Amino acid sequence: MSADLLAAFVGLIAGVLAGLFGVGGGILYVPVLTFALGLSQIHAEATSLLAILPTALTGVWRQQRYGNVRWKPAAIIGVAAIAGVQGGVLLAEALPGHVLRRLFGVLMVAVAIQIAWRARRRSSYS
């Protein structure tokens, strides 16, 4: 499978999952970009962030039509996120690639634990 076709396929799957579950596709994008397409960890993370923008904008547009977007809190979070992104970029550029890759792995494990925890709690309420 060519790199372009693989990237398009992953984008499609991540977009469907984002629309279905309301989550970003970074957990899918970064490993594929790193292992299958050969990008460095920092380039894979940056590309993933850029690739998520169309999904986020589409989600905002659709949810606004349902009246679910609160613009003032969204603006406050957005402005604060800009500062956080700048700090994250400085930190990511200062870390060696293998440390960044391990930290991403820790994040993936933490997300998996959170998902399992929530699923377990929901099943105990049923």
Side-chain angles (χ1 to χ4, degrees), residues 80-120:
I82 292 170
V85 166
Q86 290 301 318
V89 166
L90 292 173
L91 182 60
E93 289 177 339
L95 294 173
H98 71 279
V99 173
L100 196 56
R101 196 168 24 262
R102 286 189 179 158
L103 288 172
F104 185 78
V106 169
L107 174 66
M108 290 182 64
V109 170
V111 169
I113 290 169
Q114 181 187 30
I115 291 169
W117 179 263
R118 285 183 178 180
R120 184 169 183 242

